[in-house]
PDB file of all heavy atoms in Angstrom:
ATOM      1  N   HIS A 213      95.115  69.438  70.417  1.00 95.00           N
ATOM      2  CA  HIS A 213      95.208  68.016  70.107  1.00 95.00           C
ATOM      3  C   HIS A 213      94.824  67.747  68.659  1.00 95.00           C
ATOM      4  O   HIS A 213      95.507  66.992  67.947  1.00 95.00           O
ATOM      5  CB  HIS A 213      94.312  67.224  71.055  1.00 95.00           C
ATOM      6  CG  HIS A 213      94.220  65.763  70.722  1.00 95.00           C
ATOM      7  ND1 HIS A 213      95.249  64.888  70.970  1.00 95.00           N
ATOM      8  CD2 HIS A 213      93.220  65.044  70.144  1.00 95.00           C
ATOM      9  CE1 HIS A 213      94.897  63.675  70.563  1.00 95.00           C
ATOM     10  NE2 HIS A 213      93.667  63.744  70.059  1.00 95.00           N
ATOM     11  N   GLU A 214      93.730  68.374  68.215  1.00 95.00           N
ATOM     12  CA  GLU A 214      93.257  68.171  66.839  1.00 95.00           C
ATOM     13  C   GLU A 214      94.221  68.758  65.810  1.00 95.00           C
ATOM     14  O   GLU A 214      94.262  68.311  64.664  1.00 95.00           O
ATOM     15  CB  GLU A 214      91.873  68.796  66.664  1.00 95.00           C
ATOM     16  CG  GLU A 214      90.764  68.103  67.438  1.00 95.00           C
ATOM     17  CD  GLU A 214      90.553  66.674  66.996  1.00 95.00           C
ATOM     18  OE1 GLU A 214      90.498  66.432  65.772  1.00 95.00           O
ATOM     19  OE2 GLU A 214      90.472  65.794  67.864  1.00 95.00           O
ATOM     20  N   LEU A 215      94.998  69.746  66.218  1.00 96.00           N
ATOM     21  CA  LEU A 215      95.960  70.381  65.314  1.00 96.00           C
ATOM     22  C   LEU A 215      97.363  69.806  65.498  1.00 96.00           C
ATOM     23  O   LEU A 215      98.370  70.519  65.423  1.00 96.00           O
ATOM     24  CB  LEU A 215      95.958  71.893  65.524  1.00 96.00           C
ATOM     25  CG  LEU A 215      94.685  72.607  65.058  1.00 96.00           C
ATOM     26  CD1 LEU A 215      94.668  74.062  65.514  1.00 96.00           C
ATOM     27  CD2 LEU A 215      94.543  72.542  63.528  1.00 96.00           C
ATOM     28  N   GLY A 216      97.414  68.514  65.765  1.00 93.00           N
ATOM     29  CA  GLY A 216      98.694  67.808  65.796  1.00 93.00           C
ATOM     30  C   GLY A 216      99.562  68.108  66.991  1.00 93.00           C
ATOM     31  O   GLY A 216     100.789  68.075  66.885  1.00 93.00           O
ATOM     32  N   GLY A 217      98.947  68.414  68.136  1.00 95.00           N
ATOM     33  CA  GLY A 217      99.729  68.698  69.333  1.00 95.00           C
ATOM     34  C   GLY A 217     100.383  70.060  69.324  1.00 95.00           C
ATOM     35  O   GLY A 217     101.497  70.243  69.841  1.00 95.00           O
ATOM     36  N   ALA A 218      99.703  71.036  68.735  1.00 96.00           N
ATOM     37  CA  ALA A 218     100.231  72.405  68.687  1.00 96.00           C
ATOM     38  C   ALA A 218     100.422  72.956  70.098  1.00 96.00           C
ATOM     39  O   ALA A 218      99.651  72.609  71.005  1.00 96.00           O
ATOM     40  CB  ALA A 218      99.278  73.306  67.900  1.00 96.00           C
ATOM     41  N   PRO A 219     101.438  73.809  70.317  1.00 96.00           N
ATOM     42  CA  PRO A 219     101.628  74.409  71.640  1.00 96.00           C
ATOM     43  C   PRO A 219     100.443  75.285  72.030  1.00 96.00           C
ATOM     44  O   PRO A 219      99.726  75.804  71.177  1.00 96.00           O
ATOM     45  CB  PRO A 219     102.901  75.238  71.482  1.00 96.00           C
ATOM     46  CG  PRO A 219     103.071  75.438  70.015  1.00 96.00           C
ATOM     47  CD  PRO A 219     102.460  74.237  69.355  1.00 96.00           C
ATOM     48  N   LEU A 220     100.268  75.445  73.329  1.00 96.00           N
ATOM     49  CA  LEU A 220      99.091  76.118  73.882  1.00 96.00           C
ATOM     50  C   LEU A 220      99.501  77.368  74.641  1.00 96.00           C
ATOM     51  O   LEU A 220     100.539  77.397  75.313  1.00 96.00           O
ATOM     52  CB  LEU A 220      98.362  75.148  74.821  1.00 96.00           C
ATOM     53  CG  LEU A 220      97.007  75.531  75.370  1.00 96.00           C
ATOM     54  CD1 LEU A 220      95.983  75.644  74.242  1.00 96.00           C
ATOM     55  CD2 LEU A 220      96.544  74.479  76.376  1.00 96.00           C
ATOM     56  N   ALA A 221      98.694  78.417  74.525  1.00 96.00           N
ATOM     57  CA  ALA A 221      98.925  79.645  75.276  1.00 96.00           C
ATOM     58  C   ALA A 221      97.574  80.277  75.604  1.00 96.00           C
ATOM     59  O   ALA A 221      96.548  79.898  75.033  1.00 96.00           O
ATOM     60  CB  ALA A 221      99.783  80.624  74.475  1.00 96.00           C
ATOM     61  N   PHE A 222      97.575  81.210  76.552  1.00 93.00           N
ATOM     62  CA  PHE A 222      96.352  81.966  76.797  1.00 93.00           C
ATOM     63  C   PHE A 222      96.688  83.398  77.168  1.00 93.00           C
ATOM     64  O   PHE A 222      97.811  83.709  77.581  1.00 93.00           O
ATOM     65  CB  PHE A 222      95.476  81.306  77.865  1.00 93.00           C
ATOM     66  CG  PHE A 222      95.991  81.422  79.281  1.00 93.00           C
ATOM     67  CD1 PHE A 222      95.618  82.491  80.094  1.00 93.00           C
ATOM     68  CD2 PHE A 222      96.816  80.452  79.820  1.00 93.00           C
ATOM     69  CE1 PHE A 222      96.065  82.600  81.395  1.00 93.00           C
ATOM     70  CE2 PHE A 222      97.278  80.536  81.118  1.00 93.00           C
ATOM     71  CZ  PHE A 222      96.904  81.620  81.915  1.00 93.00           C
ATOM     72  N   VAL A 223      95.711  84.275  76.956  1.00 91.00           N
ATOM     73  CA  VAL A 223      95.875  85.695  77.251  1.00 91.00           C
ATOM     74  C   VAL A 223      95.255  85.984  78.601  1.00 91.00           C
ATOM     75  O   VAL A 223      94.064  85.709  78.817  1.00 91.00           O
ATOM     76  CB  VAL A 223      95.235  86.570  76.159  1.00 91.00           C
ATOM     77  CG1 VAL A 223      95.377  88.053  76.510  1.00 91.00           C
ATOM     78  CG2 VAL A 223      95.863  86.286  74.807  1.00 91.00           C
ATOM     79  N   HIS A 224      96.062  86.521  79.508  1.00 84.00           N
ATOM     80  CA  HIS A 224      95.521  86.911  80.810  1.00 84.00           C
ATOM     81  C   HIS A 224      94.775  88.227  80.651  1.00 84.00           C
ATOM     82  O   HIS A 224      95.274  89.178  80.056  1.00 84.00           O
ATOM     83  CB  HIS A 224      96.654  87.085  81.830  1.00 84.00           C
ATOM     84  CG  HIS A 224      96.164  87.469  83.194  1.00 84.00           C
ATOM     85  ND1 HIS A 224      96.041  88.777  83.579  1.00 84.00           N
ATOM     86  CD2 HIS A 224      95.741  86.723  84.241  1.00 84.00           C
ATOM     87  CE1 HIS A 224      95.578  88.822  84.822  1.00 84.00           C
ATOM     88  NE2 HIS A 224      95.393  87.585  85.240  1.00 84.00           N
ATOM     89  N   LYS A 225      93.533  88.263  81.157  1.00 68.00           N
ATOM     90  CA  LYS A 225      92.734  89.480  81.019  1.00 68.00           C
ATOM     91  C   LYS A 225      91.940  89.727  82.288  1.00 68.00           C
ATOM     92  O   LYS A 225      91.745  88.832  83.112  1.00 68.00           O
ATOM     93  CB  LYS A 225      91.780  89.382  79.824  1.00 68.00           C
ATOM     94  CG  LYS A 225      90.607  88.439  80.043  1.00 68.00           C
ATOM     95  CD  LYS A 225      89.629  88.483  78.887  1.00 68.00           C
ATOM     96  CE  LYS A 225      88.397  87.621  79.207  1.00 68.00           C
ATOM     97  NZ  LYS A 225      87.414  87.620  78.122  1.00 68.00           N
ATOM     98  N   SER A 226      91.473  90.937  82.431  1.00 63.00           N
ATOM     99  CA  SER A 226      90.570  91.299  83.527  1.00 63.00           C
ATOM    100  C   SER A 226      89.303  91.870  82.919  1.00 63.00           C
ATOM    101  O   SER A 226      89.340  92.573  81.913  1.00 63.00           O
ATOM    102  CB  SER A 226      91.234  92.324  84.460  1.00 63.00           C
ATOM    103  OG  SER A 226      91.647  93.466  83.735  1.00 63.00           O
ATOM    104  N   ARG A 227      88.156  91.530  83.519  1.00 59.00           N
ATOM    105  CA  ARG A 227      86.861  91.963  83.008  1.00 59.00           C
ATOM    106  C   ARG A 227      86.162  92.851  84.035  1.00 59.00           C
ATOM    107  O   ARG A 227      86.157  92.554  85.229  1.00 59.00           O
ATOM    108  CB  ARG A 227      85.978  90.750  82.684  1.00 59.00           C
ATOM    109  CG  ARG A 227      84.584  91.118  82.169  1.00 59.00           C
ATOM    110  CD  ARG A 227      83.756  89.872  81.876  1.00 59.00           C
ATOM    111  NE  ARG A 227      84.300  89.098  80.780  1.00 59.00           N
ATOM    112  CZ  ARG A 227      84.034  89.336  79.505  1.00 59.00           C
ATOM    113  NH1 ARG A 227      83.241  90.352  79.167  1.00 59.00           N
ATOM    114  NH2 ARG A 227      84.548  88.577  78.566  1.00 59.00           N
ATOM    115  N   SER A 228      85.541  93.921  83.565  1.00 56.00           N
ATOM    116  CA  SER A 228      84.793  94.813  84.445  1.00 56.00           C
ATOM    117  C   SER A 228      83.442  94.194  84.797  1.00 56.00           C
ATOM    118  O   SER A 228      82.731  93.705  83.927  1.00 56.00           O
ATOM    119  CB  SER A 228      84.574  96.170  83.767  1.00 56.00           C
ATOM    120  OG  SER A 228      83.693  96.967  84.520  1.00 56.00           O
ATOM    121  N   THR A 229      83.090  94.192  86.077  1.00 58.00           N
ATOM    122  CA  THR A 229      81.754  93.740  86.498  1.00 58.00           C
ATOM    123  C   THR A 229      80.745  94.876  86.453  1.00 58.00           C
ATOM    124  O   THR A 229      79.551  94.654  86.618  1.00 58.00           O
ATOM    125  CB  THR A 229      81.806  93.164  87.937  1.00 58.00           C
ATOM    126  OG1 THR A 229      82.287  94.191  88.825  1.00 58.00           O
ATOM    127  CG2 THR A 229      82.714  91.949  87.998  1.00 58.00           C
ATOM    128  N   GLU A 230      81.224  96.077  86.209  1.00 63.00           N
ATOM    129  CA  GLU A 230      80.344  97.243  86.191  1.00 63.00           C
ATOM    130  C   GLU A 230      79.904  97.620  84.779  1.00 63.00           C
ATOM    131  O   GLU A 230      78.802  98.121  84.577  1.00 63.00           O
ATOM    132  CB  GLU A 230      81.064  98.453  86.825  1.00 63.00           C
ATOM    133  CG  GLU A 230      81.534  98.218  88.252  1.00 63.00           C
ATOM    134  CD  GLU A 230      80.380  98.122  89.232  1.00 63.00           C
ATOM    135  OE1 GLU A 230      79.280  98.620  88.908  1.00 63.00           O
ATOM    136  OE2 GLU A 230      80.581  97.544  90.311  1.00 63.00           O
ATOM    137  N   VAL A 231      80.786  97.380  83.781  1.00 62.00           N
ATOM    138  CA  VAL A 231      80.515  97.807  82.408  1.00 62.00           C
ATOM    139  C   VAL A 231      80.490  96.592  81.493  1.00 62.00           C
ATOM    140  O   VAL A 231      81.441  95.813  81.464  1.00 62.00           O
ATOM    141  CB  VAL A 231      81.588  98.808  81.916  1.00 62.00           C
ATOM    142  CG1 VAL A 231      81.256  99.297  80.509  1.00 62.00           C
ATOM    143  CG2 VAL A 231      81.699  99.978  82.885  1.00 62.00           C
ATOM    144  N   ALA A 232      79.386  96.414  80.750  1.00 65.00           N
ATOM    145  CA  ALA A 232      79.265  95.283  79.838  1.00 65.00           C
ATOM    146  C   ALA A 232      80.253  95.417  78.682  1.00 65.00           C
ATOM    147  O   ALA A 232      80.569  96.523  78.241  1.00 65.00           O
ATOM    148  CB  ALA A 232      77.837  95.190  79.290  1.00 65.00           C
ATOM    149  N   ASN A 233      80.739  94.256  78.201  1.00 55.00           N
ATOM    150  CA  ASN A 233      81.621  94.192  77.032  1.00 55.00           C
ATOM    151  C   ASN A 233      82.925  94.953  77.213  1.00 55.00           C
ATOM    152  O   ASN A 233      83.501  95.448  76.256  1.00 55.00           O
ATOM    153  CB  ASN A 233      80.917  94.721  75.763  1.00 55.00           C
ATOM    154  CG  ASN A 233      79.676  93.939  75.416  1.00 55.00           C
ATOM    155  OD1 ASN A 233      78.582  94.460  75.542  1.00 55.00           O
ATOM    156  ND2 ASN A 233      79.839  92.694  75.003  1.00 55.00           N
ATOM    157  N   GLN A 234      83.412  95.041  78.451  1.00 58.00           N
ATOM    158  CA  GLN A 234      84.659  95.777  78.676  1.00 58.00           C
ATOM    159  C   GLN A 234      85.668  94.882  79.374  1.00 58.00           C
ATOM    160  O   GLN A 234      85.451  94.421  80.487  1.00 58.00           O
ATOM    161  CB  GLN A 234      84.415  97.033  79.516  1.00 58.00           C
ATOM    162  CG  GLN A 234      85.692  97.878  79.702  1.00 58.00           C
ATOM    163  CD  GLN A 234      85.380  99.251  80.275  1.00 58.00           C
ATOM    164  OE1 GLN A 234      84.527  99.968  79.761  1.00 58.00           O
ATOM    165  NE2 GLN A 234      86.068  99.624  81.341  1.00 58.00           N
TER     166      GLN A 234
END
Side-chain angles (χ1 to χ4, degrees):
H213 174 74
E214 292 297 314
L215 291 170
L220 189 64
F222 73 91
V223 178
H224 181 269
K225 73 174 185 180
S226 56
R227 179 180 294 275
S228 171
T229 59
E230 302 290 339
V231 183
N233 300 110
Q234 183 168 308

